[in-house]
Amino acid sequence: MRARYLLVLCLALLCLGTLAQANITIATVPVGDPGNAGELSGAGVPGGYGPDRICGSVGYNYNIGKYEVTAAQYCDFLNHKAATDTYGLYATSMPGIYGCQIQRTGASGSYTYSVASDWANRPVNYVSFWDACRFANWLHNGQGDGDTETGAYTLNGYNDIDGRTILRNANWRWAVTSEDEWYKAAYYKGGGTHAGYWDYPTQSNTVPRRLLR
């Protein structure tokens, strides 16, 4: 049994398919052993938080993003779908001191977005759950002018209802990673449905330490 660790300020994706004629490529890695056993995680585990629950059991094979979505990838999305930015896909904190340095120029209807080369491969942040669902829909629909309101999720232009009520559609190809999917990809040892879990997402039970140079 171990504690859960929270993934924050970045966008993690998984996929069940491939895309043709994509502008951006998101590297993924396979996660197998469908139907694996979960493990207890939460406040009852040393260092844990939140309510106790069984985490990590996923009943299907899937691919998860190898890296967080980058500022450059999200910038490409913005340039295709946020000339007016009807859905608030761009956050004004992005160019701030703690942001990913995506810059917006122009006026509504002709907004353009850019990110400096030394920030391009860093994780995007200040992305809401709604933004993430729209990014997943855009990937699902082939990028470019692909729709943001249907696909993996049916959003219908809404931004103001509880995100926990938004469910994946049955035909999803890209999606925002669920807690169980992320937990399994990060900690499950693999090699069978009862292989167990590592204590840390480094395939190790040893506390990770900073490398000294």
Side-chain angles (χ1 to χ4, degrees):
M1 297 187 297
R2 309 173 305 84
R4 275 179 282 165
Y5 292 83
L6 183 64
L7 181 66
V8 295
L9 291 179
C10 59
L11 176 55
L13 295 175
L14 66 157
C15 98
L16 284 181
T18 57
L19 293 174
Q21 298 179 339
N23 297 301
I24 63 173
T25 300
I26 296 178
T28 64
V29 293
V31 182
D33 300 321
N36 64 296
E39 71 160 2
L40 181 65
S41 180
V45 179
Y49 67 92
D52 287 344
R53 64 178 291 262
I54 300 298
C55 288
S57 179
V58 181
Y60 44 86
N61 293 317
Y62 61 99
N63 284 20
I64 193 166
K66 188 174 182 179
Y67 310 104
E68 296 95 337
V69 173
T70 67
Q73 290 168 336
Y74 196 78
C75 192
D76 188 76
F77 170 56
L78 291 172
N79 277 316
H80 278 95
K81 302 304 299 182
T84 302
D85 203 14
T86 302
Y87 303 117
L89 300 171
Y90 178 75
T92 55
S93 297
M94 284 180 172
I97 187 171
Y98 299 113
C100 57
Q101 302 308 305
I102 295 177
Q103 306 285 337
R104 179 165 73 182
T105 57
S108 180
S110 59
Y111 286 137
T112 59
Y113 304 85
S114 62
V115 62
S117 59
D118 55 338
W119 284 85
N121 290 326
R122 302 188 192 192
V124 66
N125 61 3
Y126 291 104
V127 173
S128 72
F129 177 71
W130 290 95
D131 300 336
C133 288
R134 289 188 162 98
F135 185 81
N137 278 347
W138 181 67
L139 294 176
H140 174 98
N141 290 312
Q143 303 184 36
D145 292 329
D147 187 31
T148 62
E149 302 309 292
T150 59
Y153 306 93
T154 301
L155 302 177
N156 293 326
Y158 290 111
N159 261 347
D160 57 353
I161 62 173
D162 190 337
R164 291 172 294 183
T165 67
I166 300 300
L167 303 177
R168 293 179 194 166
N169 293 325
N171 66 337
W172 68 273
R173 296 175 64 191
W174 289 88
V176 182
T177 312
S178 73
E179 181 179 19
D180 284 324
E181 290 159 346
W182 186 87
Y183 192 101
K184 178 178 180 177
Y187 298 109
Y188 194 64
K189 292 181 178 179
T193 55
H194 290 83
Y197 291 78
W198 299 107
D199 285 346
Y200 300 96
T202 52
Q203 297 186 351
S204 173
N205 292 328
T206 303
V207 177
R209 299 188 182 277
R210 181 171 61 90
L211 292 176
L212 298 177
R213 296 183 179 179

